Amino acid sequence: MSSVRLRGPLATAVATAALLVLGGAAPALATTDGTLPHHAHHPAPLPTSYTISGDKTYPEGIARQQGTPYFYVGSTNDGTIYRGDVHHSATKVFLPGGKDGRVSVAGMKTDRAGRLIVAGGATGKVFVYDTRTRALLHVFDTGRTDTFLNDVALAPNGNAYVSDSLHPALWHITTAELKSRTVEQPLRVGVDLTRSPMVYNAGFNGNGLVVTGDGRYVLLADYNDYAFYRVDIRSHEVVPITLGGAKGISGDGLLLRGHTLTAVTELDNPDGQIAVLKLNGDYTKARLVSTVHGHGMHSPSTAAFDGRDLLIVNFQFQITDPKLPFNVVRVRAQ
């Protein structure tokens, strides 16, 4: 859910809903197929924006922790991780930058065990923390310097997959490795993309990714080429996803519910773009349902679900005079 691009401002979520613009500060997501779960009742209106401190934070990834009011956002600039409460408009430092060698972070997810799994960008490492105690549980290391670990996706069985924007690999962390008491562990390649249809070029390639509900496939965005691929976790077959003629759709951040894929990017759209795509049964074809721009987005990177809403991170990467404060904006559902 997330990316950095070598040239120009950076752009890389997902709803099971078509987008329609409401009056007010945010666009709305309208249910198209009835597959969305009911939004948990909140006693008071939720903030439409969440502020992140610092004038050089450049927040990129976000994780919404289910069963709690919390979400987590990370700084690409120094690795600070912030925690927000969906009921309050300001976030707080959860883990200071630089600790544990965490000098930059990109995509992140929380799992059912309360672990925060964080892609470490150019460090080539994935950091895992206990959200209750803030303790470092694991550092998974590629051992490489030619990587940019960009986004994290979780499978139904608890396995984690990590995209790499520079090195043609889909990285894999097993549930056994996550449960292990060993802190320092190697990060292993799950699928080698070297000879696949997904060609890595100069710039940022592998970016947003999600795992399908049956756990069989990873859907992976090629940020450089405005392309999406279906990666079979078992056979390692990589198949392009056709977009039915839709142009300019990129996936810095991806979210998936059922067969509805939502992609967030700033690529070619500094005011942000949320694209909702409907996938066919085997995830090889997609139809563009709708797109939304603006509405509080400023060069966004990715998003997380909050019930039927989206929490969208305004990254503003490489913007020398960013709009402050950095923030996360809520796209309110109908």
Side-chain angles (χ1 to χ4, degrees), residues 214-230:
D214 58 7
R216 180 172 178 180
Y217 303 113
V218 169
L219 308 184
L220 176 61
D222 184 341
Y223 180 72
N224 246 351
D225 294 337
Y226 302 86
F228 298 84
Y229 294 87
R230 189 198 73 178

Side-chain angles (χ1 to χ4, degrees), residues 32-49:
T32 56
D33 59 5
T35 58
L36 284 177
H38 293 296
H39 191 11
H41 174 70
H42 293 287
L46 296 171
T48 58
S49 177

Side-chain angles (χ1 to χ4, degrees), residues 2 20 48 62 107 129 137 155 164 168 180 190 204-205 230 251-252 309 333:
S2 8
L20 79 106
T48 58
I62 185 169
Y129 293 91
L137 300 177
D164 194 323
S180 168
F204 270 66
N205 300 275
R230 189 198 73 178
D252 193 345
D309 293 355

Side-chain angles (χ1 to χ4, degrees), residues 155-157 211-218 233-234 256 258-259 281-283:
N157 65 0
V211 182
T212 57
D214 58 7
R216 180 172 178 180
Y217 303 113
V218 169
I233 292 170
R234 291 178 292 189
L256 182 69
H259 282 72
D282 65 359
Y283 307 97

Side-chain angles (χ1 to χ4, degrees), residues 70-254:
Y70 301 127
F71 64 90
Y72 301 85
V73 180
S75 167
T76 56
N77 187 54
D78 65 5
T80 299
I81 296 174
Y82 301 82
R83 184 164 73 180
D85 182 318
V86 294
H87 302 99
H88 304 288
S89 60
T91 63
K92 298 179 181 179
V93 172
F94 180 70
L95 294 168
K99 189 179 175 72
D100 308 317
R102 180 179 26 82
V103 295
S104 179
V105 296
M108 56 183 67
K109 290 291 186 296
T110 52
D111 67 9
R112 295 173 187 167
R115 291 178 286 245
L116 177 65
I117 304 168
V118 182
T123 67
K125 299 177 181 180
V126 172
F127 303 90
V128 183
Y129 293 91
D130 187 320
T131 57
R132 291 175 291 271
T133 66
R134 293 179 168 84
L136 175 69
L137 300 177
H138 304 293
V139 178
F140 295 97
D141 193 349
T142 64
R144 305 184 69 102
T145 59
D146 60 343
T147 63
F148 189 95
L149 302 184
N150 201 320
D151 206 356
V152 180
L154 298 178
N157 65 0
N159 286 355
Y161 294 87
V162 183
S163 62
D164 194 323
S165 294
L166 300 182
H167 181 67
L170 177 65
W171 301 91
H172 179 213
I173 303 171
T174 67
T175 54
E177 290 171 325
L178 288 168
K179 291 177 180 178
S180 168
R181 293 181 179 272
T182 304
V183 176
E184 301 281 345
Q185 299 186 57
L187 183 60
R188 297 181 173 87
V189 174
V191 180
D192 185 349
L193 301 173
T194 304
R195 288 177 289 278
S196 77
M198 183 175 174
V199 178
Y200 272 56
N201 300 305
F204 270 66
N205 300 275
N207 205 325
L209 76 168
V210 290
V211 182
T212 57
D214 58 7
R216 180 172 178 180
Y217 303 113
V218 169
L219 308 184
L220 176 61
D222 184 341
Y223 180 72
N224 246 351
D225 294 337
Y226 302 86
F228 298 84
Y229 294 87
R230 189 198 73 178
V231 182
D232 191 310
I233 292 170
R234 291 178 292 189
S235 71
H236 296 183
E237 179 188 32
V238 180
V239 177
I241 300 173
T242 61
L243 301 181
K247 304 295 183 183
I249 307 301
S250 179
D252 193 345
L254 296 182

Side-chain angles (χ1 to χ4, degrees), residues 250-308:
S250 179
D252 193 345
L254 296 182
L255 294 175
L256 182 69
R257 275 180 170 163
H259 282 72
T260 301
L261 181 71
T262 299
V264 174
T265 188
E266 62 81 52
L267 188 60
D268 300 336
N269 297 280
D271 60 343
Q273 176 173 283
I274 303 170
V276 176
L277 300 153
K278 191 68 176 178
L279 293 154
N280 69 341
D282 65 359
Y283 307 97
T284 58
K285 297 179 181 179
R287 172 177 57 87
L288 179 64
V289 175
S290 58
T291 58
V292 162
H293 304 92
H295 302 281
M297 291 187 285
H298 300 287
S299 295
S301 53
T302 189
F305 282 125
D306 182 37
R308 294 176 62 163

